[in-house]
Amino acid sequence: PAPWSHIVSGHVGRKPEAGAGAPARAMAASPRPQLLIQQLLLAETEAEAMLADVKRTRAARMREARHKAEREVDAFRAEQDDAFRRAARGKEESHSSAELERATAEAVDSARRDYERNRDRTVAYVVGKVLDVPTELSATQRQALRTGAV
C-alpha cells in the first residue's frame, strides 16, 4: 500500500496492519480516492509554488534592503568625510595663521631687543665718526685741488 493509504482508508493517525490492505485497495478503485489524491497533489504543487514565490520575494526584499543600507552607509561616509576635511582644513588654517602670528611676534621682539641693546653704542659710534673729521687736507687732496680734478 501507499504511504498515505491509511489516511484515505479512514485510519487517520495510525498505519494499517499487515492484512488491512484489502479495504484500502477496494476504496482506491473508486473515483473518490483518486480525486482526493489529485487534490492533495495539486495542493502540494500550489504550496511548493507559494513557497518558491515567498522565497523569491524575501530574497528580493533582502537585496533591496541591502542596497538601501549600502546607499545610506555611502551617504553617511561621504558626509563624515566632508566634515572631517572641513575640520582638518579649519585646524590647518588656524594652525598656520597662529604659527605666522607667533613667528611675526618673535621677529618683532627680536628686533626690539637688538635695537635696545645696540642703540647707545651705535649713536656713540656715529657721533664719534662725525666729530673725528680731520681739519687738514692730505697731500693727495691738495694735489687734486691744484690740478682741478675735483
Side-chain angles (χ1 to χ4, degrees):
W4 39 264
S5 64
H6 64 284
I7 297 172
V8 176
S9 67
H11 298 96
V12 179
R14 63 183 172 90
K15 290 198 173 208
E17 288 83 35
R25 275 189 229 111
M27 287 184 75
S30 71
R32 178 122 171 96
Q34 287 296 336
L35 181 64
L36 292 175
I37 291 172
Q38 287 177 349
Q39 287 176 347
L40 182 62
L41 290 174
L42 180 63
E44 189 176 294
T45 305
E46 288 176 357
E48 287 175 358
M50 284 194 308
L51 184 61
D53 188 43
V54 167
K55 285 181 180 179
R56 278 192 303 273
T57 304
R58 180 174 177 247
R61 285 184 190 161
M62 292 297 286
R63 276 192 304 273
E64 184 180 325
R66 184 184 48 182
H67 290 309
K68 183 179 178 184
E70 286 173 354
R71 286 190 301 268
E72 288 177 6
V73 165
D74 289 343
F76 180 75
R77 182 176 291 131
E79 181 181 319
Q80 293 299 313
D81 284 346
D82 288 344
F84 175 76
R85 285 189 188 105
R86 282 192 306 271
R89 197 173 328 120
K91 286 182 180 180
E92 188 176 285
E93 288 172 359
S94 69
H95 178 69
S96 64
S97 65
E99 183 70 26
L100 178 63
E101 287 177 21
R102 186 187 62 75
T104 303
E106 264 183 33
V108 167
D109 288 343
S110 175
R112 282 191 181 136
R113 282 191 306 270
D114 288 346
Y115 171 76
E116 291 297 326
R117 187 172 6 138
N118 297 323
R119 177 179 52 183
D120 293 336
R121 272 192 326 192
T122 304
V123 169
Y125 176 79
V126 170
V127 168
K129 287 294 182 181
V130 167
L131 295 179
D132 190 30
V133 175
T135 54
E136 297 178 1
L137 295 175
S138 67
T140 309
Q141 292 170 333
R142 277 184 255 152
Q143 184 181 359
L145 284 174
R146 275 189 231 144
T147 59
V150 202

